Amino acid sequence: AQKVTQAQTEISVVEKEDVTLDCVYETRDTTYYLFWYKQPPSGELVFLIRRNSFDEQNEISGRYSWNFQKSTSSFNFTITASQVVDSAVYFCALRNYGQNFVFGPGTRLSVLP
Amino acid sequence: EAGVTQFPSHSVIEKGQTVTLRCDPISGHDNLYWYRRVMGKEIKFLLHFVKESKQDESGMPNNRFLAERTGGTYSTLKVQPAELEDSGVYFCASSRAGLAGLETQYFGPGTRLLVL
């Protein structure tokens, strides 16, 4: 069975702090894809990143970085120097090849000025 | 290009009534998906259309839910009769044709349904 766990329900940080959102997944497949989506107050889910199971290279995009570790089945997301506009609900998701998304419950991030 | 749009943005109905949600995917996207998030829990897959055909409807909770995509363009999701546990946010997503897992799904803003 596939499962995604985001243990942090809510996180609050002060602007300019770094914050890491945790994501742990479970799957028996060897080919799978991991995603992060952002849901700002406007409601839509905004795609942030996709990573396949064969690529464990960490990725950095501006203030965002992702740490994929197969050994611990984790795909953590770090925001450096957080800003108020980063306040949102962040979803981690797993998709096995040929199958549909399994989402985590989401982590609500509040960045305070 | 315009994103995925959903209508209405909010709907409040009484138990037993019927509600129809609409999703307009990004133009040219063959794949259309419905998801829902109930009571702040995880987002769960409902079904997947490829053009006008239902590719996978394994996530549909019961036969009170009916999804259609006539002509392979927009899709509707009808709940009849609505029950209290149907309250939640219903998301639609679309993607281009491609190998499963590789194409990026673009989500709409969701329809917030409240059944009283």
Side-chain angles (χ1 to χ4, degrees):
Chain A
Q2 303 97 48
K3 183 180 179 181
V4 175
T5 301
Q6 294 178 256
Q8 304 146 309
T9 305
E10 293 192 36
I11 301 176
S12 288
V13 298
V14 177
E15 206 171 17
K16 297 185 183 177
E17 286 185 357
D18 298 347
V19 59
T20 295
L21 310 182
D22 297 333
C23 173
V24 174
Y25 62 92
E26 295 176 28
T27 180
R28 293 179 180 171
D29 286 20
T30 55
T31 302
Y32 54 89
Y33 304 86
L34 297 164
F35 300 77
W36 276 94
Y37 280 86
K38 173 183 179 180
Q39 185 186 30
S42 52
E44 75 278 15
L45 289 169
V46 178
F47 168 79
L48 295 178
I49 189 172
R50 178 185 67 221
R51 173 68 72 219
N52 75 56
S53 53
F54 299 107
D55 182 2
E56 284 192 75
Q57 266 195 325
N58 291 328
E59 181 156 338
I60 298 175
S61 176
R63 296 183 298 106
Y64 294 172
S65 62
W66 291 269
N67 183 2
F68 176 28
Q69 293 199 352
K70 288 179 77 171
S71 60
T72 56
S73 297
S74 65
F75 187 43
N76 296 337
F77 173 31
T78 298
I79 301 175
T80 303
S82 59
Q83 300 176 1
V84 173
V85 293
D86 295 328
S87 297
V89 180
Y90 290 85
F91 292 95
C92 180
L94 163 71
R95 191 175 189 193
N96 289 337
Y97 184 79
Q99 299 184 32
N100 291 296
F101 274 109
V102 174
F103 283 88
T107 296
R108 180 177 297 279
L109 173 65
S110 298
V111 181
L112 308 174
Chain B
E1 79 188 344
V4 177
T5 58
Q6 292 186 244
F7 182 83
S9 58
H10 295 78
S11 181
V12 180
I13 61 173
E14 293 186 351
K15 176 183 173 181
Q17 290 186 322
T18 298
V19 62
T20 300
L21 314 180
R22 173 172 169 144
C23 168
D24 286 79
I26 294 173
S27 178
H29 281 193
D30 288 343
N31 293 301
L32 188 149
Y33 304 81
W34 283 98
Y35 298 85
R36 74 172 178 178
R37 189 183 189 208
V38 174
M39 293 293 290
K41 296 184 179 177
E42 64 271 17
I43 300 168
K44 288 200 170 179
F45 165 81
L46 295 179
L47 87 159
H48 169 206
F49 283 99
V50 177
K51 296 185 180 179
E52 66 275 8
S53 299
K54 292 177 185 175
Q55 181 75 13
D56 181 352
E57 51 184 331
S58 60
M60 295 288 264
N62 51 61
N63 58 11
R64 295 185 294 102
F65 289 75
L66 175 64
E68 295 180 326
R69 191 183 183 195
T70 306
T73 55
Y74 71 91
S75 174
T76 58
L77 179 64
K78 179 190 287 187
V79 186
Q80 179 182 30
E83 298 290 343
L84 300 179
E85 63 265 26
D86 301 332
S87 296
V89 182
Y90 289 77
F91 290 101
C92 175
S94 72
S95 68
R96 298 181 185 281
L99 294 176
L102 296 182
E103 79 279 6
T104 297
Q105 294 187 20
Y106 297 88
F107 283 77
T111 293
R112 284 151 185 77
L113 174 65
L114 178 60
V115 182
L116 302 176

